[in-house]
Amino acid sequence: MMEENKERELDEIKLRLEKLEQEHGKRQGLPGGLKFAIGFVVVLLLMLMSIGVVQFVSAA
């Protein structure tokens, strides 16, 4: 009897987990192009900042 209850609880937990994973997958919705654009801008800014730091240090 106890094992049947444990199996039922495990099945319920698995179903809940699957539902949560599906909902989470639906919410993650930034298109690939937008992710690329954001990454590109971030990398560009980091590169410009590093160039500025090198310029500042070499001028001092």
Side-chain angles (χ1 to χ4, degrees), residues 1-9:
M1 203 66 166
M2 287 292 276
E3 290 193 18
E4 288 179 12
N5 286 340
K6 287 182 181 178
E7 287 180 19
R8 281 187 200 156
E9 287 181 17

Side-chain angles (χ1 to χ4, degrees), residues 40-54:
F40 185 79
V41 168
V42 168
V43 169
L44 188 67
L45 287 174
L46 288 173
M47 197 171 64
L48 287 173
M49 284 174 30
S50 63
I51 290 172
V53 168
V54 168

Side-chain angles (χ1 to χ4, degrees), residues 14-57:
K14 286 179 185 176
L15 284 173
R16 287 186 203 161
L17 183 62
E18 287 176 11
K19 286 180 184 178
L20 285 174
E21 286 176 346
Q22 287 174 356
E23 288 178 12
H24 186 64
K26 288 178 187 172
R27 273 190 247 146
Q28 275 183 340
L30 283 182
L34 186 59
K35 286 183 182 177
F36 175 78
I38 291 171
F40 185 79
V41 168
V42 168
V43 169
L44 188 67
L45 287 174
L46 288 173
M47 197 171 64
L48 287 173
M49 284 174 30
S50 63
I51 290 172
V53 168
V54 168
Q55 290 285 328
F56 178 74
V57 168

